[in-house]
Amino acid sequence: MATVAGNGGRDPDRRRALLDAADRVIRREGPQASMAAIAVEAGITKPILYRHFGDKSGLYQALADRHVRSVVTLLRPIFTETGAGLAGRVRATVEAYLDMIATNPDLYRFLFHRAGAEDGRTRSHMAAIVRGLGEELGGVLAAEPAVGGPVRAQILGHALVGMVQATGDWWLEHPEVDRAQVVATLTGAALAAISDGGAAGGAETAAVGGPVRPASRGEAAGRARPAPPESGEGR
Protein backbone atom coordinates (compact mmCIF):
# COMPACT_ATOMS: atom_id res chain seq x y z
CA MET A 1 0.00 0.00 0.00
CA ALA A 2 1.46 3.34 -1.09
CA THR A 3 2.26 5.86 1.62
CA VAL A 4 3.55 9.41 1.75
CA ALA A 5 6.62 10.02 3.84
CA GLY A 6 6.17 12.60 6.56
CA ASN A 7 2.37 12.41 6.37
CA GLY A 8 1.83 9.66 8.91
CA GLY A 9 1.30 7.14 6.11
CA ARG A 10 -1.78 9.02 4.88
CA ASP A 11 -1.47 9.11 1.11
CA PRO A 12 -4.04 11.57 -0.36
CA ASP A 13 -4.64 9.31 -3.35
CA ARG A 14 -5.20 6.34 -1.08
CA ARG A 15 -7.57 8.39 1.09
CA ARG A 16 -9.60 9.27 -1.99
CA ALA A 17 -9.76 5.60 -2.95
CA LEU A 18 -10.96 4.71 0.56
CA LEU A 19 -13.64 7.40 0.41
CA ASP A 20 -14.71 6.01 -2.97
CA ALA A 21 -15.05 2.59 -1.33
CA ALA A 22 -17.12 4.13 1.49
CA ASP A 23 -19.40 5.82 -1.06
CA ARG A 24 -19.99 2.53 -2.88
CA VAL A 25 -20.85 0.65 0.30
CA ILE A 26 -23.20 3.36 1.61
CA ARG A 27 -25.03 3.53 -1.72
CA ARG A 28 -25.30 -0.26 -1.83
CA GLU A 29 -26.13 -1.02 1.81
CA GLY A 30 -27.79 2.21 2.92
CA PRO A 31 -27.08 4.58 5.83
CA GLN A 32 -26.48 1.70 8.26
CA ALA A 33 -23.43 0.50 6.29
CA SER A 34 -20.77 -0.78 8.68
CA MET A 35 -17.16 0.31 8.92
CA ALA A 36 -16.20 -3.36 8.53
CA ALA A 37 -18.00 -3.51 5.18
CA ILE A 38 -16.21 -0.36 4.03
CA ALA A 39 -12.86 -1.87 5.03
CA VAL A 40 -13.66 -5.11 3.14
CA GLU A 41 -14.66 -3.07 0.07
CA ALA A 42 -11.31 -1.28 0.24
CA GLY A 43 -9.39 -4.53 0.77
CA ILE A 44 -8.01 -3.55 4.18
CA THR A 45 -8.81 -4.00 7.87
CA LYS A 46 -10.72 -1.53 10.03
CA PRO A 47 -7.63 -0.40 11.98
CA ILE A 48 -5.87 0.44 8.73
CA LEU A 49 -8.98 2.24 7.46
CA TYR A 50 -9.07 4.39 10.59
CA ARG A 51 -5.32 4.99 10.43
CA HIS A 52 -5.75 6.94 7.21
CA PHE A 53 -8.27 9.28 8.86
CA GLY A 54 -7.08 9.31 12.48
CA ASP A 55 -10.24 7.55 13.74
CA LYS A 56 -13.85 6.90 12.80
CA SER A 57 -14.72 10.55 13.44
CA GLY A 58 -12.02 11.54 10.96
CA LEU A 59 -13.55 9.26 8.34
CA TYR A 60 -17.01 10.76 8.94
CA GLN A 61 -15.65 14.30 8.64
CA ALA A 62 -13.76 13.45 5.46
CA LEU A 63 -17.00 12.16 3.93
CA ALA A 64 -18.81 15.30 5.08
CA ASP A 65 -16.15 17.50 3.52
CA ARG A 66 -16.35 15.58 0.28
CA HIS A 67 -20.13 15.70 -0.08
CA VAL A 68 -21.52 18.58 1.99
CA ARG A 69 -18.92 20.98 0.62
CA SER A 70 -19.74 19.75 -2.87
CA VAL A 71 -23.33 20.88 -2.25
CA VAL A 72 -22.06 24.35 -1.34
CA THR A 73 -19.94 24.38 -4.50
CA LEU A 74 -23.00 23.38 -6.52
CA LEU A 75 -25.34 25.97 -5.00
CA ARG A 76 -22.96 28.95 -4.84
CA PRO A 77 -22.98 29.89 -8.56
CA ILE A 78 -26.76 29.44 -8.73
CA PHE A 79 -27.77 31.93 -6.07
CA THR A 80 -25.01 34.39 -7.01
CA GLU A 81 -25.92 34.44 -10.71
CA THR A 82 -26.23 38.13 -11.47
CA GLY A 83 -28.08 37.62 -14.73
CA ALA A 84 -31.03 35.80 -13.14
CA GLY A 85 -33.89 37.41 -11.25
CA LEU A 86 -34.34 36.74 -7.54
CA ALA A 87 -37.30 34.41 -8.05
CA GLY A 88 -35.41 32.42 -10.68
CA ARG A 89 -32.34 32.08 -8.47
CA VAL A 90 -34.37 30.94 -5.48
CA ARG A 91 -36.24 28.35 -7.53
CA ALA A 92 -33.06 27.05 -9.20
CA THR A 93 -31.31 26.74 -5.84
CA VAL A 94 -34.20 24.79 -4.31
CA GLU A 95 -34.38 22.51 -7.36
CA ALA A 96 -30.64 21.82 -7.30
CA TYR A 97 -30.69 20.92 -3.60
CA LEU A 98 -33.68 18.60 -3.87
CA ASP A 99 -32.21 16.90 -6.95
CA MET A 100 -28.93 16.36 -5.12
CA ILE A 101 -30.45 14.68 -2.06
CA ALA A 102 -32.89 12.66 -4.20
CA THR A 103 -29.98 11.31 -6.26
CA ASN A 104 -28.03 10.18 -3.17
CA PRO A 105 -30.63 9.67 -0.40
CA ASP A 106 -28.69 7.01 1.50
CA LEU A 107 -25.52 9.09 1.52
CA TYR A 108 -27.52 12.09 2.73
CA ARG A 109 -29.07 10.04 5.55
CA PHE A 110 -25.68 8.59 6.48
CA LEU A 111 -24.13 12.03 6.88
CA PHE A 112 -26.99 14.05 8.40
CA HIS A 113 -28.52 11.34 10.55
CA ARG A 114 -26.20 8.49 11.40
CA ALA A 115 -22.77 10.17 11.39
CA GLY A 116 -24.05 13.30 13.11
CA ALA A 117 -25.91 11.27 15.73
CA GLU A 118 -22.95 8.97 16.47
CA ASP A 119 -20.22 11.59 16.66
CA GLY A 120 -20.37 15.05 18.20
CA ARG A 121 -17.32 16.31 16.32
CA THR A 122 -18.87 15.33 13.01
CA ARG A 123 -22.17 16.98 13.97
CA SER A 124 -20.35 20.22 14.85
CA HIS A 125 -18.28 20.01 11.69
CA MET A 126 -21.32 19.68 9.43
CA ALA A 127 -23.21 22.35 11.35
CA ALA A 128 -20.32 24.75 10.72
CA ILE A 129 -20.45 24.02 6.99
CA VAL A 130 -24.22 24.61 6.86
CA ARG A 131 -23.87 27.77 8.97
CA GLY A 132 -21.25 29.04 6.54
CA LEU A 133 -23.70 28.53 3.69
CA GLY A 134 -26.32 30.56 5.60
CA GLU A 135 -23.84 33.39 6.13
CA GLU A 136 -22.87 33.35 2.48
CA LEU A 137 -26.50 33.42 1.38
CA GLY A 138 -27.12 36.27 3.82
CA GLY A 139 -24.32 38.21 2.17
CA VAL A 140 -25.90 37.72 -1.23
CA LEU A 141 -29.36 38.73 0.04
CA ALA A 142 -27.97 41.93 1.57
CA ALA A 143 -27.63 43.30 -1.96
CA GLU A 144 -31.36 42.85 -2.60
CA PRO A 145 -33.34 46.09 -2.03
CA ALA A 146 -36.39 44.14 -0.84
CA VAL A 147 -34.50 42.60 2.07
CA GLY A 148 -34.06 45.74 4.14
CA GLY A 149 -30.51 45.64 5.42
CA PRO A 150 -27.61 43.33 6.32
CA VAL A 151 -28.97 42.15 9.68
CA ARG A 152 -32.26 41.02 8.18
CA ALA A 153 -30.31 39.48 5.29
CA GLN A 154 -28.33 37.29 7.70
CA ILE A 155 -31.47 36.24 9.53
CA LEU A 156 -33.10 35.30 6.24
CA GLY A 157 -29.99 33.54 4.94
CA HIS A 158 -29.88 31.15 7.89
CA ALA A 159 -33.67 30.76 7.96
CA LEU A 160 -33.88 29.84 4.28
CA VAL A 161 -31.04 27.32 4.47
CA GLY A 162 -32.69 25.68 7.49
CA MET A 163 -36.11 25.68 5.85
CA VAL A 164 -34.90 24.05 2.63
CA GLN A 165 -32.79 21.48 4.49
CA ALA A 166 -35.59 20.50 6.88
CA THR A 167 -38.16 20.28 4.08
CA GLY A 168 -35.82 18.22 1.93
CA ASP A 169 -35.31 15.86 4.85
CA TRP A 170 -39.08 15.48 5.20
CA TRP A 171 -39.55 15.02 1.45
CA LEU A 172 -37.14 12.07 1.39
CA GLU A 173 -39.52 10.31 3.77
CA HIS A 174 -42.55 11.24 1.65
CA PRO A 175 -41.57 10.45 -1.97
CA GLU A 176 -45.23 10.39 -2.92
CA VAL A 177 -45.29 14.19 -2.68
CA ASP A 178 -44.74 15.75 -6.09
CA ARG A 179 -41.33 17.42 -6.42
CA ALA A 180 -42.85 20.33 -8.34
CA GLN A 181 -45.18 21.08 -5.44
CA VAL A 182 -42.30 21.06 -2.97
CA VAL A 183 -40.25 23.38 -5.19
CA ALA A 184 -43.15 25.79 -5.75
CA THR A 185 -44.07 25.91 -2.05
CA LEU A 186 -40.50 26.44 -0.85
CA THR A 187 -39.86 29.07 -3.51
CA GLY A 188 -43.05 30.94 -2.63
CA ALA A 189 -42.30 30.82 1.10
CA ALA A 190 -38.74 32.06 0.56
CA LEU A 191 -39.80 34.94 -1.69
CA ALA A 192 -42.58 35.93 0.71
CA ALA A 193 -40.14 35.98 3.62
CA ILE A 194 -37.64 38.06 1.66
CA SER A 195 -40.13 40.68 0.50
CA ASP A 196 -42.44 40.87 3.52
CA GLY A 197 -41.64 43.83 5.72
CA GLY A 198 -38.16 44.36 4.35
CA ALA A 199 -38.38 48.15 4.18
CA ALA A 200 -40.06 48.45 7.58
CA GLY A 201 -37.55 46.09 9.18
CA GLY A 202 -34.64 48.06 7.76
CA ALA A 203 -36.10 51.38 8.89
CA GLU A 204 -36.66 50.14 12.43
CA THR A 205 -33.15 48.73 12.62
CA ALA A 206 -31.64 52.00 11.41
CA ALA A 207 -33.76 54.07 13.81
CA VAL A 208 -32.61 52.28 16.94
CA GLY A 209 -29.07 51.59 15.80
CA GLY A 210 -29.49 47.82 15.88
CA PRO A 211 -31.95 44.96 15.57
CA VAL A 212 -35.33 45.59 17.12
CA ARG A 213 -35.82 43.58 20.31
CA PRO A 214 -39.15 42.65 21.88
CA ALA A 215 -40.16 44.58 24.98
CA SER A 216 -39.55 42.89 28.31
CA ARG A 217 -42.54 41.83 30.38
CA GLY A 218 -41.97 44.76 32.74
CA GLU A 219 -41.72 47.26 29.90
CA ALA A 220 -44.86 45.90 28.29
CA ALA A 221 -46.76 46.16 31.60
CA GLY A 222 -45.57 49.75 32.05
CA ARG A 223 -46.75 50.71 28.60
CA ALA A 224 -50.15 49.10 29.19
CA ARG A 225 -50.74 50.87 32.57
CA PRO A 226 -53.03 53.92 32.12
CA ALA A 227 -51.80 57.34 33.21
CA PRO A 228 -53.12 58.57 36.58
CA PRO A 229 -56.12 60.98 36.29
CA GLU A 230 -55.46 64.68 36.59
CA SER A 231 -56.57 66.47 39.75
CA GLY A 232 -60.35 66.49 40.02
CA GLU A 233 -60.80 64.11 37.13
CA GLY A 234 -62.81 60.95 37.58
CA ARG A 235 -64.26 61.99 40.97
Side-chain angles (χ1 to χ4, degrees):
M1 181 169 60
T3 60
V4 174
N7 193 33
R10 299 175 190 173
D11 177 1
D13 291 334
R14 184 58 172 156
R15 280 168 59 93
R16 280 192 292 271
L18 296 177
L19 291 175
D20 288 342
D23 284 350
R24 290 193 299 271
V25 173
I26 293 168
R27 287 188 171 97
R28 185 173 66 237
E29 300 187 7
Q32 298 307 315
S34 68
M35 297 299 105
I38 294 173
V40 169
E41 179 77 14
I44 57 178
T45 63
K46 272 204 305 183
I48 294 176
L49 174 65
Y50 292 155
R51 189 180 305 160
H52 280 272
F53 301 95
D55 55 16
K56 183 166 71 171
S57 177
L59 173 60
Y60 285 162
Q61 291 180 52
L63 283 168
D65 276 337
R66 168 180 262 202
H67 295 291
V68 180
R69 290 191 190 281
S70 71
V71 174
V72 176
T73 301
L74 171 70
L75 298 181
R76 181 180 290 120
I78 297 175
F79 63 66
T80 58
E81 175 55 56
T82 56
L86 180 60
R89 281 184 286 155
V90 171
R91 176 178 291 275
T93 301
V94 170
E95 288 178 330
Y97 181 80
L98 293 181
D99 288 346
M100 183 278 303
I101 64 174
T103 301
N104 302 295
D106 287 332
L107 188 59
Y108 176 86
R109 292 185 181 103
F110 180 91
L111 290 172
F112 281 92
H113 295 279
R114 178 182 169 184
E118 286 186 5
D119 184 72
R121 284 186 293 165
T122 301
R123 182 167 58 253
S124 297
H125 185 68
M126 292 197 304
I129 297 173
V130 174
R131 186 166 58 250
L133 180 60
E135 291 171 358
E136 189 169 346
L137 178 56
V140 174
L141 290 174
E144 296 291 332
V147 169
V151 173
R152 190 167 186 272
Q154 281 297 314
I155 295 171
L156 285 169
H158 291 283
L160 297 180
V161 168
M163 177 177 70
V164 173
Q165 181 184 347
T167 304
D169 200 6
W170 171 84
W171 180 56
L172 284 182
E173 303 305 319
H174 295 274
E176 74 280 3
V177 178
D178 183 52
R179 171 186 173 278
Q181 183 180 7
V182 178
V183 170
T185 303
L186 279 174
T187 301
L191 292 174
I194 290 170
S195 62
D196 182 32
E204 288 177 356
T205 298
V208 299
V212 178
R213 66 175 179 83
S216 69
R217 186 174 300 176
E219 290 171 334
R223 292 173 188 172
R225 187 179 301 121
E230 296 181 5
S231 177
E233 183 178 339
R235 295 179 181 174

mmCIF file of all heavy atoms in Angstrom, residues 145-177:
data_model
loop_
_atom_site.group_PDB
_atom_site.id
_atom_site.type_symbol
_atom_site.label_atom_id
_atom_site.label_comp_id
_atom_site.label_asym_id
_atom_site.label_seq_id
_atom_site.Cartn_x
_atom_site.Cartn_y
_atom_site.Cartn_z
ATOM 1 N N PRO A 145 -32.628 44.960 -2.653
ATOM 2 C CA PRO A 145 -33.340 46.091 -2.029
ATOM 3 C C PRO A 145 -34.534 45.659 -1.172
ATOM 4 O O PRO A 145 -34.852 46.306 -0.174
ATOM 5 C CB PRO A 145 -33.805 46.918 -3.241
ATOM 6 C CG PRO A 145 -32.846 46.563 -4.338
ATOM 7 C CD PRO A 145 -32.515 45.115 -4.122
ATOM 8 N N ALA A 146 -35.189 44.566 -1.566
ATOM 9 C CA ALA A 146 -36.389 44.142 -0.837
ATOM 10 C C ALA A 146 -36.079 43.597 0.553
ATOM 11 O O ALA A 146 -36.974 43.497 1.391
ATOM 12 C CB ALA A 146 -37.133 43.074 -1.638
ATOM 13 N N VAL A 147 -34.838 43.258 0.808
ATOM 14 C CA VAL A 147 -34.500 42.596 2.073
ATOM 15 C C VAL A 147 -34.526 43.562 3.245
ATOM 16 O O VAL A 147 -35.034 43.249 4.319
ATOM 17 C CB VAL A 147 -33.136 41.898 1.957
ATOM 18 C CG1 VAL A 147 -32.635 41.448 3.331
ATOM 19 C CG2 VAL A 147 -33.232 40.702 1.021
ATOM 20 N N GLY A 148 -33.972 44.752 3.073
ATOM 21 C CA GLY A 148 -34.056 45.736 4.143
ATOM 22 C C GLY A 148 -32.875 45.786 5.077
ATOM 23 O O GLY A 148 -33.046 46.089 6.255
ATOM 24 N N GLY A 149 -31.698 45.471 4.602
ATOM 25 C CA GLY A 149 -30.508 45.644 5.425
ATOM 26 C C GLY A 149 -29.756 44.370 5.717
ATOM 27 O O GLY A 149 -30.280 43.263 5.589
ATOM 28 N N PRO A 150 -28.474 44.495 6.127
ATOM 29 C CA PRO A 150 -27.610 43.327 6.325
ATOM 30 C C PRO A 150 -28.009 42.422 7.488
ATOM 31 O O PRO A 150 -27.797 41.215 7.421
ATOM 32 C CB PRO A 150 -26.228 43.948 6.561
ATOM 33 C CG PRO A 150 -26.509 45.347 7.039
ATOM 34 C CD PRO A 150 -27.751 45.765 6.334
ATOM 35 N N VAL A 151 -28.573 42.988 8.542
ATOM 36 C CA VAL A 151 -28.973 42.154 9.684
ATOM 37 C C VAL A 151 -30.113 41.227 9.273
ATOM 38 O O VAL A 151 -30.088 40.016 9.505
ATOM 39 C CB VAL A 151 -29.378 43.017 10.893
ATOM 40 C CG1 VAL A 151 -29.953 42.138 12.007
ATOM 41 C CG2 VAL A 151 -28.182 43.802 11.408
ATOM 42 N N ARG A 152 -31.133 41.826 8.640
ATOM 43 C CA ARG A 152 -32.256 41.016 8.180
ATOM 44 C C ARG A 152 -31.801 40.004 7.123
ATOM 45 O O ARG A 152 -32.307 38.893 7.053
ATOM 46 C CB ARG A 152 -33.359 41.921 7.625
ATOM 47 C CG ARG A 152 -34.672 41.178 7.353
ATOM 48 C CD ARG A 152 -35.821 42.147 7.109
ATOM 49 N NE ARG A 152 -37.076 41.420 6.991
ATOM 50 C CZ ARG A 152 -37.556 40.928 5.839
ATOM 51 N NH1 ARG A 152 -36.883 41.110 4.718
ATOM 52 N NH2 ARG A 152 -38.698 40.273 5.813
ATOM 53 N N ALA A 153 -30.827 40.395 6.304
ATOM 54 C CA ALA A 153 -30.312 39.478 5.286
ATOM 55 C C ALA A 153 -29.681 38.250 5.926
ATOM 56 O O ALA A 153 -29.863 37.124 5.450
ATOM 57 C CB ALA A 153 -29.292 40.200 4.401
ATOM 58 N N GLN A 154 -28.930 38.431 7.015
ATOM 59 C CA GLN A 154 -28.326 37.288 7.700
ATOM 60 C C GLN A 154 -29.388 36.399 8.332
ATOM 61 O O GLN A 154 -29.301 35.168 8.271
ATOM 62 C CB GLN A 154 -27.333 37.769 8.764
ATOM 63 C CG GLN A 154 -25.986 38.189 8.211
ATOM 64 C CD GLN A 154 -25.248 37.031 7.558
ATOM 65 O OE1 GLN A 154 -25.168 35.932 8.110
ATOM 66 N NE2 GLN A 154 -24.709 37.263 6.369
ATOM 67 N N ILE A 155 -30.386 37.024 8.943
ATOM 68 C CA ILE A 155 -31.475 36.237 9.534
ATOM 69 C C ILE A 155 -32.144 35.390 8.453
ATOM 70 O O ILE A 155 -32.370 34.180 8.624
ATOM 71 C CB ILE A 155 -32.506 37.154 10.210
ATOM 72 C CG1 ILE A 155 -31.876 37.877 11.407
ATOM 73 C CG2 ILE A 155 -33.737 36.354 10.655
ATOM 74 C CD1 ILE A 155 -32.749 38.974 11.999
ATOM 75 N N LEU A 156 -32.440 36.013 7.330
ATOM 76 C CA LEU A 156 -33.099 35.298 6.238
ATOM 77 C C LEU A 156 -32.193 34.226 5.643
ATOM 78 O O LEU A 156 -32.659 33.138 5.301
ATOM 79 C CB LEU A 156 -33.514 36.291 5.148
ATOM 80 C CG LEU A 156 -34.723 37.166 5.457
ATOM 81 C CD1 LEU A 156 -34.866 38.272 4.414
ATOM 82 C CD2 LEU A 156 -35.996 36.323 5.508
ATOM 83 N N GLY A 157 -30.908 34.519 5.502
ATOM 84 C CA GLY A 157 -29.992 33.536 4.937
ATOM 85 C C GLY A 157 -29.992 32.244 5.726
ATOM 86 O O GLY A 157 -30.122 31.149 5.164
ATOM 87 N N HIS A 158 -29.875 32.344 7.040
ATOM 88 C CA HIS A 158 -29.879 31.149 7.895
ATOM 89 C C HIS A 158 -31.255 30.489 7.915
ATOM 90 O O HIS A 158 -31.366 29.263 7.911
ATOM 91 C CB HIS A 158 -29.438 31.515 9.305
ATOM 92 C CG HIS A 158 -27.991 31.892 9.395
ATOM 93 N ND1 HIS A 158 -26.974 30.963 9.385
ATOM 94 C CD2 HIS A 158 -27.395 33.104 9.457
ATOM 95 C CE1 HIS A 158 -25.804 31.581 9.457
ATOM 96 N NE2 HIS A 158 -26.029 32.873 9.505
ATOM 97 N N ALA A 159 -32.312 31.317 7.932
ATOM 98 C CA ALA A 159 -33.668 30.765 7.965
ATOM 99 C C ALA A 159 -33.966 29.978 6.690
ATOM 100 O O ALA A 159 -34.556 28.886 6.740
ATOM 101 C CB ALA A 159 -34.686 31.883 8.149
ATOM 102 N N LEU A 160 -33.575 30.507 5.550
ATOM 103 C CA LEU A 160 -33.881 29.843 4.282
ATOM 104 C C LEU A 160 -33.090 28.553 4.123
ATOM 105 O O LEU A 160 -33.627 27.544 3.649
ATOM 106 C CB LEU A 160 -33.601 30.793 3.117
ATOM 107 C CG LEU A 160 -34.458 32.059 3.075
ATOM 108 C CD1 LEU A 160 -34.102 32.919 1.878
ATOM 109 C CD2 LEU A 160 -35.942 31.715 3.059
ATOM 110 N N VAL A 161 -31.825 28.559 4.530
ATOM 111 C CA VAL A 161 -31.039 27.323 4.473
ATOM 112 C C VAL A 161 -31.669 26.260 5.363
ATOM 113 O O VAL A 161 -31.825 25.097 4.964
ATOM 114 C CB VAL A 161 -29.572 27.598 4.894
ATOM 115 C CG1 VAL A 161 -28.826 26.287 5.137
ATOM 116 C CG2 VAL A 161 -28.856 28.395 3.815
ATOM 117 N N GLY A 162 -32.055 26.640 6.579
ATOM 118 C CA GLY A 162 -32.688 25.682 7.488
ATOM 119 C C GLY A 162 -34.012 25.176 6.964
ATOM 120 O O GLY A 162 -34.328 23.984 7.080
ATOM 121 N N MET A 163 -34.811 26.070 6.371
ATOM 122 C CA MET A 163 -36.114 25.679 5.847
ATOM 123 C C MET A 163 -35.974 24.674 4.711
ATOM 124 O O MET A 163 -36.669 23.645 4.680
ATOM 125 C CB MET A 163 -36.868 26.917 5.357
ATOM 126 C CG MET A 163 -38.221 26.617 4.728
ATOM 127 S SD MET A 163 -39.122 28.111 4.225
ATOM 128 C CE MET A 163 -38.110 28.659 2.832
ATOM 129 N N VAL A 164 -35.073 24.942 3.774
ATOM 130 C CA VAL A 164 -34.899 24.052 2.635
ATOM 131 C C VAL A 164 -34.334 22.708 3.081
ATOM 132 O O VAL A 164 -34.779 21.640 2.630
ATOM 133 C CB VAL A 164 -33.996 24.709 1.574
ATOM 134 C CG1 VAL A 164 -33.674 23.725 0.456
ATOM 135 C CG2 VAL A 164 -34.674 25.945 0.991
ATOM 136 N N GLN A 165 -33.372 22.729 4.015
ATOM 137 C CA GLN A 165 -32.790 21.478 4.494
ATOM 138 C C GLN A 165 -33.828 20.631 5.223
ATOM 139 O O GLN A 165 -33.947 19.424 4.977
ATOM 140 C CB GLN A 165 -31.610 21.774 5.419
ATOM 141 C CG GLN A 165 -30.930 20.508 5.939
ATOM 142 C CD GLN A 165 -29.820 20.807 6.933
ATOM 143 O OE1 GLN A 165 -29.384 21.947 7.070
ATOM 144 N NE2 GLN A 165 -29.363 19.791 7.630
ATOM 145 N N ALA A 166 -34.589 21.240 6.112
ATOM 146 C CA ALA A 166 -35.592 20.498 6.877
ATOM 147 C C ALA A 166 -36.688 19.942 5.972
ATOM 148 O O ALA A 166 -37.137 18.804 6.137
ATOM 149 C CB ALA A 166 -36.203 21.386 7.956
ATOM 150 N N THR A 167 -37.108 20.746 4.994
ATOM 151 C CA THR A 167 -38.158 20.282 4.081
ATOM 152 C C THR A 167 -37.638 19.168 3.184
ATOM 153 O O THR A 167 -38.360 18.197 2.902
ATOM 154 C CB THR A 167 -38.673 21.451 3.222
ATOM 155 O OG1 THR A 167 -39.116 22.500 4.081
ATOM 156 C CG2 THR A 167 -39.825 21.001 2.335
ATOM 157 N N GLY A 168 -36.405 19.292 2.729
ATOM 158 C CA GLY A 168 -35.815 18.222 1.926
ATOM 159 C C GLY A 168 -35.722 16.921 2.703
ATOM 160 O O GLY A 168 -35.982 15.831 2.167
ATOM 161 N N ASP A 169 -35.378 17.023 3.981
ATOM 162 C CA ASP A 169 -35.312 15.856 4.849
ATOM 163 C C ASP A 169 -36.682 15.181 4.946
ATOM 164 O O ASP A 169 -36.812 13.958 4.845
ATOM 165 C CB ASP A 169 -34.838 16.310 6.230
ATOM 166 C CG ASP A 169 -34.275 15.168 7.054
ATOM 167 O OD1 ASP A 169 -34.150 14.056 6.526
ATOM 168 O OD2 ASP A 169 -33.954 15.398 8.232
ATOM 169 N N TRP A 170 -37.713 16.002 5.137
ATOM 170 C CA TRP A 170 -39.080 15.477 5.202
ATOM 171 C C TRP A 170 -39.496 14.848 3.874
ATOM 172 O O TRP A 170 -40.117 13.789 3.841
ATOM 173 C CB TRP A 170 -40.039 16.612 5.568
ATOM 174 C CG TRP A 170 -41.482 16.259 5.448
ATOM 175 C CD1 TRP A 170 -42.265 15.615 6.372
ATOM 176 C CD2 TRP A 170 -42.337 16.506 4.316
ATOM 177 N NE1 TRP A 170 -43.546 15.458 5.889
ATOM 178 C CE2 TRP A 170 -43.615 15.993 4.633
ATOM 179 C CE3 TRP A 170 -42.143 17.121 3.084
ATOM 180 C CZ2 TRP A 170 -44.692 16.075 3.750
ATOM 181 C CZ3 TRP A 170 -43.199 17.202 2.199
ATOM 182 C CH2 TRP A 170 -44.463 16.679 2.535
ATOM 183 N N TRP A 171 -39.143 15.501 2.777
ATOM 184 C CA TRP A 171 -39.546 15.024 1.454
ATOM 185 C C TRP A 171 -38.959 13.648 1.135
ATOM 186 O O TRP A 171 -39.613 12.819 0.503
ATOM 187 C CB TRP A 171 -39.137 16.049 0.402
ATOM 188 C CG TRP A 171 -39.504 15.675 -0.998
ATOM 189 C CD1 TRP A 171 -40.745 15.375 -1.484
ATOM 190 C CD2 TRP A 171 -38.605 15.546 -2.110
ATOM 191 N NE1 TRP A 171 -40.685 15.089 -2.826
ATOM 192 C CE2 TRP A 171 -39.385 15.184 -3.237
ATOM 193 C CE3 TRP A 171 -37.230 15.722 -2.263
ATOM 194 C CZ2 TRP A 171 -38.821 14.983 -4.498
ATOM 195 C CZ3 TRP A 171 -36.670 15.530 -3.520
ATOM 196 C CH2 TRP A 171 -37.463 15.155 -4.612
ATOM 197 N N LEU A 172 -37.740 13.393 1.605
ATOM 198 C CA LEU A 172 -37.141 12.073 1.387
ATOM 199 C C LEU A 172 -37.980 10.967 2.020
ATOM 200 O O LEU A 172 -37.990 9.833 1.529
ATOM 201 C CB LEU A 172 -35.721 12.026 1.955
ATOM 202 C CG LEU A 172 -34.626 12.734 1.155
ATOM 203 C CD1 LEU A 172 -33.283 12.542 1.841
ATOM 204 C CD2 LEU A 172 -34.564 12.235 -0.283
ATOM 205 N N GLU A 173 -38.666 11.298 3.102
ATOM 206 C CA GLU A 173 -39.516 10.307 3.771
ATOM 207 C C GLU A 173 -40.914 10.266 3.172
ATOM 208 O O GLU A 173 -41.724 9.420 3.548
ATOM 209 C CB GLU A 173 -39.603 10.630 5.270
ATOM 210 C CG GLU A 173 -38.247 10.697 5.975
ATOM 211 C CD GLU A 173 -37.437 9.421 5.782
ATOM 212 O OE1 GLU A 173 -38.038 8.333 5.846
ATOM 213 O OE2 GLU A 173 -36.207 9.530 5.561
ATOM 214 N N HIS A 174 -41.228 11.186 2.283
ATOM 215 C CA HIS A 174 -42.548 11.235 1.646
ATOM 216 C C HIS A 174 -42.384 11.380 0.127
ATOM 217 O O HIS A 174 -42.762 12.397 -0.460
ATOM 218 C CB HIS A 174 -43.372 12.397 2.211
ATOM 219 C CG HIS A 174 -43.690 12.240 3.660
ATOM 220 N ND1 HIS A 174 -44.797 11.537 4.109
ATOM 221 C CD2 HIS A 174 -43.039 12.675 4.773
ATOM 222 C CE1 HIS A 174 -44.810 11.555 5.429
ATOM 223 N NE2 HIS A 174 -43.765 12.228 5.857
ATOM 224 N N PRO A 175 -41.828 10.359 -0.522
ATOM 225 C CA PRO A 175 -41.573 10.445 -1.968
ATOM 226 C C PRO A 175 -42.842 10.553 -2.800
ATOM 227 O O PRO A 175 -42.779 10.888 -3.986
ATOM 228 C CB PRO A 175 -40.810 9.146 -2.272
ATOM 229 C CG PRO A 175 -41.222 8.203 -1.170
ATOM 230 C CD PRO A 175 -41.404 9.072 0.049
ATOM 231 N N GLU A 176 -43.988 10.274 -2.173
ATOM 232 C CA GLU A 176 -45.234 10.392 -2.918
ATOM 233 C C GLU A 176 -45.614 11.857 -3.193
ATOM 234 O O GLU A 176 -46.444 12.138 -4.058
ATOM 235 C CB GLU A 176 -46.375 9.708 -2.150
ATOM 236 C CG GLU A 176 -46.897 10.444 -0.912
ATOM 237 C CD GLU A 176 -46.030 10.253 0.332
ATOM 238 O OE1 GLU A 176 -44.975 9.583 0.224
ATOM 239 O OE2 GLU A 176 -46.404 10.766 1.398
ATOM 240 N N VAL A 177 -45.010 12.780 -2.473
ATOM 241 C CA VAL A 177 -45.293 14.192 -2.683
ATOM 242 C C VAL A 177 -44.554 14.661 -3.940
ATOM 243 O O VAL A 177 -43.349 14.450 -4.086
ATOM 244 C CB VAL A 177 -44.853 15.032 -1.471
ATOM 245 C CG1 VAL A 177 -45.120 16.517 -1.723
ATOM 246 C CG2 VAL A 177 -45.589 14.575 -0.216
#
